[in-house]
Each structure stands twice: as structure tokens, then as C-alpha cells.
Amino acid sequence: MTVREILETHPHPAGGDLDARVRCIEACSECGITCTSCSDADLAESDVQEMVRCIRLCLDCADVCDTTRRVVTRQTEADVGVVRAALEACIVACRGSREECERHADHHEHCRICAEVCGRCEQACADLLASIG
Amino acid sequence: MTVREILETHPHPAGGDLDARVRCIEACSECGITCTSCSDADLAESDVQEMVRCIRLCLDCADVCDTTRRVVTRQTEADVGVVRAALEACIVACRGSREECERHADHHEHCRICAEVCGRCEQACADLLASIG
Amino acid sequence: MTVREILETHPHPAGGDLDARVRCIEACSECGITCTSCSDADLAESDVQEMVRCIRLCLDCADVCDTTRRVVTRQTEADVGVVRAALEACIVACRGSREECERHADHHEHCRICAEVCGRCEQACADLLASIG
Amino acid sequence: MTVREILETHPHPAGGDLDARVRCIEACSECGITCTSCSDADLAESDVQEMVRCIRLCLDCADVCDTTRRVVTRQTEADVGVVRAALEACIVACRGSREECERHADHHEHCRICAEVCGRCEQACADLLASIG
């Protein structure tokens, strides 16, 4: 199964750029997993006291990515304003998490990876946002 | 337990208007439950075909309210941009759900209640947004 | 709006003990908020290193409570096996979080409150489980 | 990024079968997306009245899969009882959704795919459950 395959079985697929939608769903899914995993790895680090802001922002980002993924996956009777607002919130949450993870990227490999994944998700949300006008 | 009590036990409570924060958490919680329940009641109605848009918008609204409640409940190392973006998305999602529920309020009591609850949540999010600048 | 009011507007309310269902939804909702808040307060404590297990179990418990609340709120075409499995998972998650919070209850007020709320949620889930057979 | 890569960056990776954990996280993620998409496609079908049970069970399954994915992704201070209870709930939710989707697999392609994905997720959860004893 691919995300594209399941979206294409919808009786009335959403208009707009299907590629951008697929990439956004995949990116939100990857980012939800990665932020859950990064905040969890932070908790187990010996310098957890220095990772508190990273944990908090990754928890927010995981929640926002999971919700945005659901909103974007639904194609029936979408309200473009709601979709846009979810994407905008996701871009801000990913940016917050990415910027904090970048500060720890040289000493925590999970932060280096998480920063990259958050950056890709920001971009995928921005691309879908641009395509829906 | 009240929401206020649990928030006040935080070692460094978030600044800003605590009353507005408490009301926002309570309103998002109530709206998450109500939108889950309204979409579920819609599904069981004999005119479910006419309720499809209502179901979809209530599913989105429940997801966005649950996430916004979590972001606003967290007081440690908040990023004001992320909090603001979540509140803005929640206002839009509640408005979408409220406006659709209002169209069915005279023949479905769950829609009448849901429209009211969504309206209160919009207001509570807007009040917290105003208080955090 | 009360949880009872919104449940009663369903065109075909679920059978079983409505009081037990209402108390379970309210308890899961309260416990989802409290566990989110307790894990967040733990993060801000100066002894965060000692609170890592508490944070982790409260994160799990918040996720399980939020999902169980949704499953129990839905009254349309419920599968009793799914409802039962969700309630059983919630009882275990609440117990794990309660037992860990009890260990910190004398020095962290949020843990004392959270242990109480988790205990109430365990009981409310067990009561609903008993009522659905 | 792969799920395996991010899990391996944890300072103290969970014991047990890493392959089984990775497959479970990937399967829960795929199933959360597919059940969200299938319930949404059901809503847009002309025979939506016949799809009500499918929508409800897919909504439950999406919620349970998303929560189970988070619990299994976290490797810090896991409580084996909580992990086991989440996996057991996920197996039951996937089975419920799979059995209902199988009934519609010949006339709705999204149900055919969703039944397959739910079946894979049942198996992946059962495999991880077996490996953690």
C-alpha cells in the first residue's frame, strides 16, 4: 500500500496537486514518529536538563503533525480554511522543533535527524499550502 | 481536581492570564468530546447523506481541539509562536464546525448543542490568544 | 453542556449503564488533561532526572486516555470487543501512571493529584467494563 | 530517515526484537493513515448508509493505531504491561476493522486495501507482543 494508492480509491478525490498532498501526508507521518522518538531519546540522555525545551517542542510538534496528517488525508467535503489553518500551524510547530533540534545536532544524532525531518515537513506543508491557493 | 488546580502545581506556571488559559483548556476539552459525539450521532441519523459535511468538519474539529488542548496545557518552555498558531487553527476549525452545525440545529439537537460548544471554544481560544499578545 | 446531555441526543443511544459511560468519559477526559499537565510539570522540576519514568508513563497514559474517551463516546455500531480492549488498556495505563506518581506524591503536588485522578479513571473504566459484560 | 535509524539513535534502545518493533511502528502508522482514509472515502460513497459500521470501526482503529504507535515508539522506561495492553487493544481494533472492510472489499477498493493493511497491522502487533514475552 502506498499513500497515493489509498487516496486514489476515494470516489471523489480532492482537487489540487495530488503529489503535494501525498508528500505532505508522508512527511507529517514521518515527522510525528520522529518527534515522538526524539523527545523520548532526549528523556534518556544524561543531559536531560538541557533537553527540556527540545522535549517540549517535539511533543507539540508530534501532536500537531498527527492532527494535520488526518485533516489532509480526509478528502470529503474539505473546508479549505480549516486545511490551510492546520498546515500553517504545522509549519510553525515544525520550525520550532527544527530550530531547537539544530542546536543539539552535533551532540545528539536523534536531534540531527529530527531537525532534517522537521525541515522536510515544513517544506511539504508549505508546498501543499501553495497548491491549494 | 480542577484544571486550575493542576496548572497551579507547575513549578514555574506560564505567565499571562491564568483564567483565560483554564477556560481555553476546558473549552477545547468540551469541544473535543462534543464534536466526537456529534459526528457519531450524525452517522446514526436516517438523513446521514445530508450530514456528511457536518461529520467531516466535526472530525477535523475534534482532532484540532484535542491537539490545541495539549499545547495550551503544557507550560514548560512554551514557544509563543507555536501556541498562537495552534489557537488560530482551533478558532478556524471551531468556526467551520459551528457554521455547519447551525444549519442542522433545528432538526438535530446534537448539532444545536455542538454549534454552541464550538462557539464557546472559538471565543475561549480568541481570549487566550489576545492575552498572550 | 454536560457529557450526559450530548450523549442523550444520539438517535439510538448505546445500551448499558449510561451513568457508567458518562463517568468513564469524564474520567478519561480529566485524566488525559492531568497526565499531560503532570508530565509537563515533571519536565520543569529541578529533579527532572528522577522524574523520567513518571514523564514516560504519563505520556502513555494521556495518549491511551484520549483514545479510550473517543471510543467510549461513540455510540453508533460499537463493537463490544473493541470497547472492552480499549477499557482494559486504559486501566493498565492508568495503573502504571498512578503507581509511579504515588512514589513522588509527597514531594510533588502534581504527582499527588495525578495519582488520584488516575485511580479514579481506573475505577471508572472498570465500572463501565463490568456494566457492558 | 527510516524508523530503524531513528530508534537506533536512542541512548539506551529498548531490548527485545528491534525488527519486530520497527515493523509494528510502520504497520501502525500505515494502518492509522489507511483507516482515516477509508472512513473518509466511505463517507463520500453513494451507499454511505451501508458503510456506517465500517466508518465507526475505522475511526476507532485509527485512534487506537495512532496511540499504539506512540507507546511502541517510546523506548525510555517502558512498562511492559502498558505496552502489552496497547498491543492487545490494537490487535482487537484492527481485527474489527478488517472483518467489516472484508465485507465491502468486492465493491469498494478502499475497503479491500484497508482490510489488507489492518491484517498486516494485527500480525505486526502480535509478532511484537510475542517477542516481548
Side-chain angles (χ1 to χ4, degrees), chain C residues 97-113:
Chain C
S97 186
R98 173 179 60 74
E99 288 177 352
E100 182 62 22
C101 279
E102 282 170 353
R103 298 184 51 234
H104 307 285
D106 57 347
H107 53 286
H108 291 316
E109 178 68 2
H110 46 84
C111 289
R112 193 192 61 72
I113 292 177

Side-chain angles (χ1 to χ4, degrees), chain C residues 4-29:
Chain C
R4 170 179 286 275
E5 275 167 11
I6 187 78
L7 290 185
E8 285 179 337
T9 63
H10 193 285
H12 309 291
D17 185 337
L18 178 61
D19 283 334
R21 184 176 297 267
V22 168
R23 278 196 305 268
C24 182
I25 294 168
E26 291 172 343
C28 285
S29 172

Side-chain angles (χ1 to χ4, degrees), chain D residues 29-101:
Chain D
S29 172
E30 183 187 40
C31 199
I33 294 171
T34 305
C35 281
T36 297
S37 189
C38 185
S39 60
D40 174 70
D42 289 337
L43 268 184
E45 296 288 356
S46 55
D47 67 341
V48 58
Q49 207 107 32
E50 275 74 54
M51 303 310 294
V52 167
R53 182 167 166 82
C54 190
I55 295 169
R56 193 261 150 86
L57 291 176
C58 283
L59 290 174
D60 284 356
C61 192
D63 287 336
V64 174
C65 283
D66 281 2
T67 281
T68 302
R69 168 181 54 74
R70 287 173 167 221
V71 171
V72 171
T73 298
R74 293 181 188 119
Q75 301 182 87
T76 302
E77 294 281 357
D79 178 300
V80 71
V82 174
V83 177
R84 200 181 288 131
L87 288 168
E88 286 168 348
C90 201
I91 290 169
V92 177
C94 288
R95 185 188 307 139
S97 186
R98 173 179 59 75
E99 288 177 353
E100 183 63 20
C101 278

